[in-house]
C-alpha cells in the first residue's frame, strides 16, 4: 500500500484539529503516497496552500453540496473535520461515496469527526451525573437518543456503513487543549487554539471576572492537541496499511479520545488566578454567570449550558491500537497561562 497513491479529501483541514492532522501528512518522511485535496472557504488561503505546500485546495463550504459531491467522488478516503452538526453536508458526501461504490466497486472510507458532546449530561454545573460511555460497548452508545448533540449526523454515517457502501470511523474528541505547533500554523494557514479558553478569556475581560455555569461542579474529559493528532494518525495509518479489517467500523467504529478529567470550576479557577495575577480582572475567584450574561456571551441558554454539562467516556478502542497519550488534565490547567498570553498579546 505504501507504493500506491491514495486519494484523500479533507474538510476542515485548516482548523485547529484538522490543521494539526494535515500538517502531519505533509512531513517529508510520511510513508504513504497521498493525493490530497482539501476544502477551504477562502480563495486567498487556497492559493497560499497551493503555492507554499502544493496542496490542491477547493474553494467552498459544507453548504456547497455540488462541490462536496464532486470532491468526494474523487476520493477513496474522506476525512471530515468540519462542522459535525451539518447534516446536509454529511449527506452530500455520503451520496457521492455511495455512487462511487456503485460505479467502481470501491468501498470508500469516511473518517468523521464528532465529539463527546454527544454523551453529555445536562448538569448545569451543579452535579456530576450521567453514564461513563465505553466506546467498546456499541450497545451502550446506541442508547443515546437521536436528539443528543451530534447524534443526527453520527446516525447517518453509521447507517451508510451498515448499507455496505462505505466504511465509517467516527472519532469523538473530548475537550481538546493546547496550542498547536506545526508548519501550517507557522504559515498562518491553520488555527492554533481551540474555541473554549479563548472565549472564556474574552468574556472574563469584558465582565471583570471569570464566569462559570452554576457552581462548576460538572466534569469533562480532555485530550491534548498532540495526543489527539496522534490518535487520528494512528487510525488513518492503520486504514492505509489495510489493517482496517482488524479494527471496528460502523456500529463498532466509535473512537473516544480522552486522557483525564477536569471540572469546569477547576478550569475557571485557574483562569481567574492567571488573569488576576496579570492585573486583567478584579478577582482570582470565578463567579456564576447570570442568564442574561449567558445569552450575551453564548448567544442562547441552550448553547451556554453545554459548558456546564458532564461528559465522561473511555477511549478503549483507540488504546487497543496502541495509542499512548502523554498529557493529562493537570496539563490542561498548566496551559492556561499560555492561552491567556496568546489571547491578550
Amino acid at each position: 500500500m505504501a507504493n500506491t497513491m491514495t486519494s484523500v479529501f479533507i474538510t476542515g483541514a485548516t482548523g485547529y484539529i484538522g490543521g494539526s492532522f494535515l500538517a502531519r501528512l505533509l512531513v517529508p518522511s510520511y510513508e504513504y503516497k497521498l493525493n490530497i485535496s482539501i476544502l477551504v472557504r477562502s480563495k486567498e488561503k487556497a492559493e497560499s496552500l497551493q503555492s507554499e505546500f502544493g496542496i490542491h485546495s477547493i474553494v467552498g463550504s459544507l453548504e456547497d453540496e455540488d462541490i462536496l459531491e464532486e470532491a468526494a467522488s474523487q476520493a477513496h478516503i474522506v476525512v471530515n473535520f468540519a462542522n459535525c452538526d451539518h447534516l446536509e453536508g454529511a449527506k452530500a458526501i455520503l451520496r457521492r461515496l455511495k455512487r462511487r461504490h456503485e460505479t467502481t466497486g470501491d468501498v470508500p472510507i469516511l473518517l468523521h469527526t464528532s465529539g463527546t458532546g454527544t454523551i453529555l449530561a445536562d448538569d448545569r454545573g451543579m452535579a456530576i451525573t450521567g453514564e461513563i460511555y465505553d466506546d467498546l460497548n456499541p450497545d451502550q452508545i446506541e442508547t443515546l437518543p437521536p436528539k443528543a448533540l451530534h447524534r443526527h449526523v453520527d446516525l447517518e454515517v453509521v447507517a451508510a456503513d451498515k448499507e455496505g457502501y462505505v466504511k465509517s470511523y467516527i472519532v469523538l474528541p473530548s475537550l481538546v487543549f493546547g496550542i498547536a505547533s506545526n508548519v501550517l500554523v507557522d504559515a498562518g494557514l491553520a488555527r492554533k487554539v481551540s474555541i473554549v479558553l479563548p472565549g472564556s478569556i474574552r468574556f472574563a475581560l469584558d465582565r471583570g471576572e471569570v464566569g462559570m455555569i452554576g457552581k462548576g461542579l460538572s466534569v469533562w474529559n480532555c485530550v491534548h492537541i498532540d495526543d489527539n493528532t496522534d490518535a487520528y494518525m494512528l487510525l488513518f495509518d492503520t486504514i492505509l496499511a489495510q489493517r482496517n479489517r482488524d479494527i471496528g467500523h460502523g456500529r463498532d467504529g466509535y473512537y473516544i479520545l480522552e486522557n483525564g478529567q477536569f471540572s469546569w470550576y477547576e478550569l475557571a479557577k485557574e483562569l481567574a488566578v492567571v488573569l488576576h495575577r496579570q492585573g486583567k480582572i478584579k478577582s482570582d475567584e470565578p463567579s456564576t454567570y447570570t442568564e442574561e450574561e449567558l445569552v450575551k456571551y453564548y448567544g442562547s441558554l441552550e448553547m451556554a449550558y453545554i459548558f456546564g454539562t458532564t461528559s465522561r467516556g473511555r477511549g478503549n478502542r483507540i488504546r487497543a491500537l496502541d495509542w499512548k497519550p502523554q498529557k493529562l488534565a493537570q496539563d490542561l490547567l498548566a496551559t492556561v497561562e499560555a492561552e491567556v498570553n496568546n489571547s491578550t498579546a
Side-chain angles (χ1 to χ4, degrees):
M1 190 75 172
N3 294 321
T4 303
M5 185 73 75
T6 302
S7 54
V8 181
F9 173 56
I10 308 174
T11 69
T14 60
Y16 177 54
I17 297 176
S20 295
F21 173 80
L22 177 59
R24 294 279 190 95
L25 301 183
L26 301 178
V27 173
S29 60
Y30 187 63
E31 65 177 307
Y32 297 104
K33 296 180 180 180
L34 304 176
N35 181 12
I36 301 173
S37 296
I38 68 172
L39 185 72
V40 294
R41 292 177 177 272
S42 161
K43 180 181 178 182
E44 292 73 21
K45 184 173 285 189
E47 291 173 348
S48 295
L49 287 161
Q50 178 67 52
S51 62
E52 295 182 39
F53 297 98
I55 302 171
H56 177 55
S57 303
I58 302 163
V59 179
S61 72
L62 294 183
E63 303 293 332
D64 300 309
E65 294 182 18
D66 290 344
I67 292 174
L68 275 179
E69 288 196 38
E70 176 59 25
S73 72
Q74 304 299 317
H76 174 62
I77 303 177
V78 175
V79 187
N80 181 26
F81 292 105
N83 185 348
C84 61
D85 292 317
H86 201 293
L87 180 60
E88 294 309 313
K91 284 183 174 180
I93 290 171
L94 289 170
R95 276 197 303 271
R96 199 61 184 209
L97 293 181
K98 184 175 185 179
R99 189 177 304 175
R100 177 186 175 96
H101 172 66
E102 292 170 344
T103 303
T104 68
D106 178 36
V107 181
I109 302 297
L110 176 57
L111 183 55
H112 174 71
T113 301
S114 179
T116 57
T118 198
I119 60 174
L120 58 76
D122 187 15
D123 291 328
R124 302 190 183 183
M126 302 304 291
I128 302 173
T129 68
E131 295 184 53
I132 299 175
Y133 286 83
D134 183 342
D135 60 8
L136 284 175
N137 186 349
D139 291 338
Q140 183 192 31
I141 291 175
E142 286 184 348
T143 65
L144 290 167
K147 290 186 178 180
L149 193 65
H150 316 321
R151 188 71 176 148
H152 61 310
V153 178
D154 293 355
L155 288 172
E156 287 285 338
V157 173
V158 171
D161 185 283
K162 186 176 181 180
E163 286 188 44
Y165 66 84
V166 70
K167 281 190 175 181
S168 70
Y169 305 83
I170 298 179
V171 183
L172 297 89
S174 51
L175 185 140
V176 186
F177 69 92
I179 297 178
S181 177
N182 57 65
V183 293
L184 296 177
V185 167
D186 292 344
L189 296 171
R191 186 179 177 89
K192 69 176 179 178
V193 292
S194 69
I195 62 171
V196 176
L197 270 171
S200 297
I201 293 165
R202 289 196 306 272
F203 305 158
L205 295 175
D206 182 72
R207 70 195 292 267
E209 292 181 341
V210 174
M212 61 185 176
I213 312 297
K215 295 181 179 180
L217 300 179
S218 308
V219 300
W220 263 62
N221 293 129
C222 57
V223 61
H224 190 272
I225 182 63
D226 292 340
D227 291 328
N228 188 79
T229 308
D230 286 346
Y232 273 94
M233 291 302 301
L234 178 58
L235 184 55
F236 187 75
D237 288 351
T238 300
I239 293 166
L240 282 173
Q242 294 185 322
R243 297 194 299 268
N244 50 312
R245 298 192 192 104
D246 302 324
I247 63 174
H249 62 91
R251 177 181 188 270
D252 298 309
Y254 289 90
Y255 294 81
I256 292 174
L257 308 185
E258 52 74 28
N259 197 45
Q261 176 179 292
F262 70 96
S263 74
W264 291 109
Y265 172 78
E266 288 175 321
L267 186 58
K269 172 62 176 177
E270 182 64 23
L271 180 56
V273 168
V274 171
L275 287 172
H276 182 258
R277 185 171 65 238
Q278 294 187 3
K280 293 182 170 67
I281 60 174
K282 59 188 179 183
S283 173
D284 64 358
E285 279 292 335
S287 60
T288 300
Y289 285 119
T290 65
E291 287 193 351
E292 291 75 16
E293 286 177 322
L294 291 177
V295 173
K296 173 184 177 181
Y297 295 126
Y298 292 96
S300 70
L301 291 177
E302 180 182 20
M303 176 60 70
Y305 286 144
I306 292 173
F307 298 92
T309 57
T310 291
S311 174
R312 295 178 295 169
R314 294 292 178 265
N316 292 319
R317 192 175 294 277
I318 191 68
R319 284 183 172 86
L321 296 180
D322 204 30
W323 180 56
K324 296 178 180 178
Q326 302 299 309
K327 302 293 187 180
L328 297 164
Q330 57 262 38
D331 297 294
L332 164 62
L333 302 181
T335 63
V336 167
E337 186 152 22
E339 290 266 7
V340 168
N341 294 339
N342 180 73
S343 293
T344 58

